[in-house]
Amino acid sequence: MASDPPYVTAGIEIHQQLDTGRKLFCRCPTLLRETKEHTGEFTRFLRATESEMGEIDRAALEELKHVRRFTYYTYDTTCLVEDDEEPPQPLNPEALEIALSVAKTMGMTPVRQVHPMRKLVIDGSNTCGFQRTALVALAGRLPDGTGIETICLEEDAAQRVVEGVFSLDRLGIPLVEITTAPDMHTPEAVQATAEYIGMVLRSTGRVKRGLGTIRQDVNISIAGGARVEIKGVQELDLIAEVVRREVMRQQSLLAIRDELRARGASVERGAQDVTATAARTGSRILTKAPRVLAVPLRGFTGLVGREIQPGRRLGSEMADYAKRCGVGGIFHTDELPAYGITAADVEILRAQAGAGEKDCLVLVAGTPDQAACAAEQVIRRAAMALEGVPEETRRMLPEGSTSYMRPLPGAARMYPETDVLPVTVDAAAWDRVPVPELLSDRAGRFVKEFGLDAGVARQIAFSERLPLFERAVAEGVNPRLAHRALIATPVELARKGTDLSRLTDDQYLAVLRAVSTGKAAKEAVPELLAALAAGKPEAEVLGSLAATLTPAELDVLVARVLKEREGFVKERGKAALGPLMGVVMAEVRGRVDGKLVSEALKRGMERMEK
Ligand SMILES: [Zn+2]
């Protein structure tokens, strides 16, 4: 009877970095740096004051348990705004224009005044303790009917380097945050919506590209489950899988709840000190720990070790909660004997903690404080298992499963950002906002204008090199040649292990110009790109082409080849062209376009007939 797929409700929040010349509230460039390039650092102690917190948010409360001292890496481009030593500058109008353009494309209604607000952030990722965000437009709809609730402009947070250390290069890069209505009901629909919105964003031509520049949060619940927000899904291709795995996790947790209830399982407060017994086991962790506590979970045996999504068990969820206290993880009897703990050890520990064979015994080890905190967390999470699915914010793991991050935050508390003036969006300004040609439409146009096939046109339109393609074509480069050199050839070279990532747009264009002007043959493109990418000077790579064949030299070469094979040409007539092409192309080795060789040969053969 469990064969019907569960009713899924999902929405997404997409964060996309904008490719503006400067940051949202200062003039610094929006460039990501290598952390080793940092030129300075400073330390801050962040504490949320009662007045800022109001009625203390449960997520904030959770964060307060942890490190409050943060170090920030600064760069030669970091200014006092990012250091939070100087008030922010006016909202970057370029970023607002891009956000409005995306809003208009999705049929949204702009707010009359864009008011920057402060959203409390106390994980240290903002030097000022809040993130600035501004609502830009409301209530749009995608062609498939999916609702778009809001689009906001936000400043990106500082990048976490390691625990407690952040890098300020990313802080303040403008982001748009697009929130959909919870209108999606299948994993595939979530993926399709994310892809469509991503396409709209890229259609502006003014967003950053590459891993980490777009991040999606997915909100999912199933009937009878709970709302869970999965943060930081960076790979678009994994979204459907993330949703499938979350549905599986919630279904599994509901099944575990039902079984626990049927068994009459219960969770008691309090843990047993088993430090002395644990010290006699063969587990290095248990023998080294100053304190080991055992938590008997009545009626839980077999369920703590049950898989709830690939690579994750109910025990992994308990371990995530326990890790908040600084312990490395937990041991539980569903996975013992193992880790140097023998079956005899398990029996002794069970007896000492008063755990029967229907109970699962969980062990936590650490300092006395850590162990007490971890035992408390295990008990909390076990009690939630009796209720079903807890509302949580979760982090995506590499394959699409997730781990617990923190409780779901309450509604975000916002305060006006009094240091930045609001910006009015009047009717005239809204009328001037451009609606970009969608990449999907552009692909259709390439088919019509350039006679390209649909697959190739789409490949160009969705490529990061689209602007370069358009520049080349505007200069008169043949669109097929531009597609070959800018998209197809780099893919082929990458497959062979040639790294073209250092090639600049100008180098690509230089190669295309060389081919277009007849200085180089199109057959030589891969070789030229590879040489430039390998760091050979442009003058050497393209300059040497001056030494390649001129039309007159080609005619001389063709005349010689024809004379040497006069008999063959007379015997075969026009059919000799193919074999002769091979001979000449081998001699010119990419220094002349095949089409020119063919023409020269035809001319030469006509002369011979006369
Ligand atoms: Zn700055």
Side-chain angles (χ1 to χ4, degrees), residues 208-433:
K208 294 213 184 267
R209 303 283 293 257
L211 193 68
T213 57
I214 184 163
R215 306 189 290 272
Q216 18 258 320
D217 298 344
V218 189
N219 275 290
I220 314 165
S221 62
I222 68 168
R227 194 163 80 84
V228 161
E229 181 169 307
I230 297 168
K231 290 284 208 192
V233 183
Q234 298 193 4
E235 300 93 337
L236 203 53
D237 299 347
L238 270 178
I239 289 190
E241 182 62 13
V242 167
V243 176
R244 274 192 285 275
R245 290 190 182 199
E246 179 56 21
V247 169
M248 181 190 299
R249 197 185 69 92
Q250 296 203 13
Q251 282 180 298
S252 308
L253 288 175
L254 292 177
I256 287 175
R257 176 199 63 190
D258 293 345
E259 190 160 345
L260 287 171
R261 287 180 177 176
R263 292 181 185 182
S266 64
V267 177
E268 297 156 14
R269 309 211 59 82
Q272 311 291 322
D273 187 338
V274 295
T275 313
T277 313
R280 293 193 291 271
T281 65
S283 157
R284 269 191 65 226
I285 293 168
L286 293 189
T287 49
K288 274 173 51 189
R291 180 68 48 85
V292 180
L293 297 177
V295 179
L297 300 173
R298 307 285 172 210
F300 272 69
T301 196
L303 297 180
V304 177
R306 183 184 285 181
E307 192 167 73
I308 54 176
Q309 64 175 191
R312 300 276 309 174
R313 295 156 202 285
L314 177 57
S316 329
E317 303 286 311
M318 292 177 178
D320 288 343
Y321 275 68
K323 282 177 194 167
R324 306 291 301 188
C325 306
V327 302
I330 62 171
F331 294 97
H332 57 79
T333 49
D334 283 357
E335 57 178 14
L336 298 178
Y339 313 112
I341 304 168
T342 64
D345 293 334
V346 173
E347 285 320 303
I348 298 167
L349 287 163
R350 273 183 181 281
Q352 198 184 349
E357 61 182 30
K358 290 183 175 154
D359 307 333
C360 179
L361 192 66
V362 178
L363 302 172
V364 293
T367 64
D369 281 352
Q370 286 173 337
C373 170
E376 184 61 31
Q377 291 290 326
V378 167
I379 290 165
R380 255 186 77 210
R381 184 61 189 84
M384 292 175 194
L386 292 170
E387 302 301 319
V389 184
E391 288 194 341
E392 290 171 335
T393 303
R394 300 180 64 82
R395 178 187 288 117
M396 196 191 100
L397 300 172
E399 310 272 297
S401 290
T402 58
S403 64
Y404 168 74
M405 232 173 128
R406 54 174 182 258
L408 210 55
R413 261 178 209 84
M414 307 254 239
Y415 310 88
E417 167 55 85
T418 46
D419 291 334
V420 185
L421 288 174
V423 182
T424 301
V425 182
D426 57 25
W430 179 242
D431 281 346
R432 283 194 305 270
V433 170

Side-chain angles (χ1 to χ4, degrees), residues 23 25-29 77-83 89 171:
K23 289 183 171 179
F25 292 107
C26 70
R27 301 190 180 282
C28 297
T77 54
T78 306
C79 76
L80 293 172
V81 174
E82 291 138 291
D83 289 358
Q89 292 170 13
L171 179 66

